[in-house]
């Protein structure tokens, strides 16, 4: 199952913000959630679940990357939202360093193929590669950023 | 959206989060990925209690009964199908009406329903 899931198939330019304005953890969860195609009420509820997930342990997995995630009834499919902050922000990361790249992952609970955990694994793997590339903070265009991520996804 | 349905959805999502944090296999996989899952769930459990307090007693009773039986008590409806039991909803229920303004139960499995496509 792992080998047939391509992360790039879930990445969209409309689910991407390369100039995040947020300064705090709560703000960035909101800014990223704002890109999801769900109504305002659902968004508020989803943000609450994401905050609760953070209470279990920060999803700032180090190397300047955070992967906030949760499962929720409020979405009908797996979504991956990408955000970037050139300046970086304090996300209470495991290594204490500022976070520059965010991957917000939300998935429905009724997902038989368990793409959620596979996506989390693949994003974490991509994050390791991403942290070694200076282009990650330089690329301006969303399509170019998507192409850059595609290269990392294919190995 | 019906206020009680809102609380039910949040309760469902919190229960799922707690279940994943307590499940040894999921925790192992998340740790392998690089996430450190804390053992303290007190804050989340307190939030869960507050959600339960906001729900009508009959709804809580039914929620607990359904969780005992099926593990998950709220199911989404997508394309007219209950994603709890995978049965097609009767045509009478598949109207243009915003079903999330009321508490609906699946006529087959009895789960609370959340209509994703309205």
């Amino acid at each position: 199952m792992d080998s047939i899931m391509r992360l790039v198939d879930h990445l969209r330019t409309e689910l991407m913000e390369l100039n995040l304005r947020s300064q705090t953890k709560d703000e960035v969860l909101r800014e990223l959630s704002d890109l999801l195609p769900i109504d305002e009420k659902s968004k508020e509820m989803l943000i609450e679940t994401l905050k609760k997930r953070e209470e279990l342990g920060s999803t700032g997995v180090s190397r300047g990357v955070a992967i906030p995630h949760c499962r929720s009834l409020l979405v009908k499919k797996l979504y991956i939202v990408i955000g970037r902050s050139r300046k970086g922000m304090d996300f209470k990361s495991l290594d204490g360093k500022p976070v520059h790249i965010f991957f917000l992952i939300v998935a429905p609970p009724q997902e038989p193929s368990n793409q959620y955990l596979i996506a989390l694994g693949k994003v974490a793997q991509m994050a390791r590669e991403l942290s070694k590339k200076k282009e990650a903070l330089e690329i301006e265009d969303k399509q170019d950023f998507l192409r850059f991520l595609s290269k990392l996804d294919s190995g | 959206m019906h206020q009680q349905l809102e609380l039910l959805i949040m309760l469902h999502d919190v229960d799922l989060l707690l279940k994943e944090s307590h499940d040894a296999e999921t925790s192992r996989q998340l740790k392998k990925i690089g996430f450190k899952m804390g053992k303290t769930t007190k804050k989340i459990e307190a939030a869960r209690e507050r959600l339960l307090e906001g729900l009508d007693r009959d709804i809580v009773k039914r929620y607990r009964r359904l969780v005992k039986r099926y593990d998950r008590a709220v199911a989404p409806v997508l394309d007219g199908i209950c994603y709890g039991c995978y049965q097609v909803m009767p045509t009478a229920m598949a109207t243009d009406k915003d079903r999330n303004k009321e508490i609906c139960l699946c006529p087959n499995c009895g789960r609370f329903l959340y209509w994703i496509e309205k």
Side-chain angles (χ1 to χ4, degrees):
Chain A
M1 187 65 70
D2 192 18
S3 58
I4 58 167
M5 186 205 170
R6 278 166 30 103
L7 207 55
V8 288
D9 294 337
H10 296 273
L11 306 180
R12 307 267 181 277
T13 52
E14 59 269 28
L15 296 178
M16 198 183 279
E17 175 53 65
L18 296 180
N19 295 298
L20 289 171
R21 294 172 302 276
S22 307
Q23 303 286 328
T24 66
K25 198 167 192 169
D26 285 3
E27 282 173 9
V28 78
L29 291 177
R30 179 169 298 275
E31 196 173 353
L32 294 169
S33 301
D34 274 343
L35 296 174
L36 289 167
I38 54 174
D39 61 54
E40 280 305 312
K41 185 79 219 166
S42 301
K43 211 173 285 171
E44 293 302 322
M45 293 158 74
L46 188 71
I47 291 168
E48 283 308 310
T49 307
L50 287 165
K51 284 184 191 171
K52 287 187 180 79
R53 167 62 189 90
E54 291 299 318
E55 282 169 12
L56 283 176
S58 176
T59 58
V61 286
S62 78
R63 299 186 182 93
V65 179
I67 314 171
H69 59 271
C70 73
R71 282 186 202 267
S72 176
L73 270 171
L74 299 159
V75 291
K76 57 182 173 187
K77 64 179 185 117
L78 176 86
Y79 288 106
I80 302 174
V81 180
I82 298 171
R84 182 184 69 189
S85 160
R86 283 202 178 91
K87 207 171 110 190
M89 75 181 75
D90 179 14
F91 200 75
K92 311 278 180 256
S93 244
L94 299 174
D95 60 1
K97 290 186 178 161
V99 171
H100 293 275
I101 312 274
F102 294 87
F103 290 89
L104 174 80
I105 302 179
V106 286
Q110 73 285 355
E111 209 198 13
S113 56
N114 215 350
Q115 287 199 317
Y116 171 66
L117 280 175
I118 297 169
L120 280 173
K122 281 189 163 270
V123 165
Q125 196 181 337
M126 186 183 268
R128 282 190 279 275
E129 292 301 311
L130 206 58
S131 60
K132 298 176 202 157
K133 315 268 183 192
K134 62 177 173 49
E135 301 100 294
L137 296 181
E138 289 171 354
I139 297 169
E140 292 282 351
D141 184 71
K142 288 181 184 178
Q143 280 293 355
D144 291 344
F145 198 80
L146 208 55
R147 273 191 283 273
F148 167 67
L149 292 179
S150 303
K151 279 186 203 159
L152 296 182
D153 192 30
S154 57
Chain B
M1 193 187 301
H2 194 290
Q3 185 258 353
Q4 293 282 294
L5 181 60
E6 262 177 45
L7 294 174
L8 272 172
I9 291 170
M10 293 187 77
L11 180 63
H12 169 282
D13 286 356
V14 164
D15 278 350
L16 194 58
L17 188 60
L18 285 169
K19 193 184 163 210
E20 284 187 349
S21 74
H22 292 142
D23 180 70
E25 178 54 23
T26 309
S27 287
R28 191 191 63 79
Q29 288 193 45
L30 289 170
K31 273 180 194 159
K32 199 174 151 195
I33 291 168
F35 297 107
K36 290 216 161 56
M37 300 287 277
K39 285 189 170 64
T40 311
T41 53
K42 273 184 188 161
K43 266 188 173 175
I44 301 172
E45 276 155 14
R48 183 182 191 274
E49 282 309 308
R50 286 195 295 278
L51 290 170
L52 283 170
E53 280 165 19
L55 282 164
D56 293 346
R57 194 183 287 185
D58 288 348
I59 290 182
V60 174
K61 259 169 84 177
R62 185 176 191 94
Y63 182 88
R64 287 189 170 134
R65 210 166 51 234
L66 285 164
V67 166
K68 211 169 171 184
R69 183 164 182 194
Y70 296 123
D71 206 29
R72 293 210 314 264
V74 192
V77 180
L78 269 166
D79 299 323
I81 295 166
C82 165
Y83 270 68
C85 63
Y86 297 95
Q87 292 295 307
V88 178
M89 291 289 113
T91 28
M93 287 180 90
T95 60
D96 289 338
K97 192 175 158 189
D98 184 354
R99 290 277 167 196
N100 292 328
K101 284 190 173 161
E102 54 197 50
I103 299 290
C104 287
L105 302 174
C106 173
N108 183 58
C109 66
R111 287 181 177 93
F112 294 105
L113 295 176
Y114 169 58
W115 300 69
I116 289 198
E117 284 166 341
K118 289 164 270 199

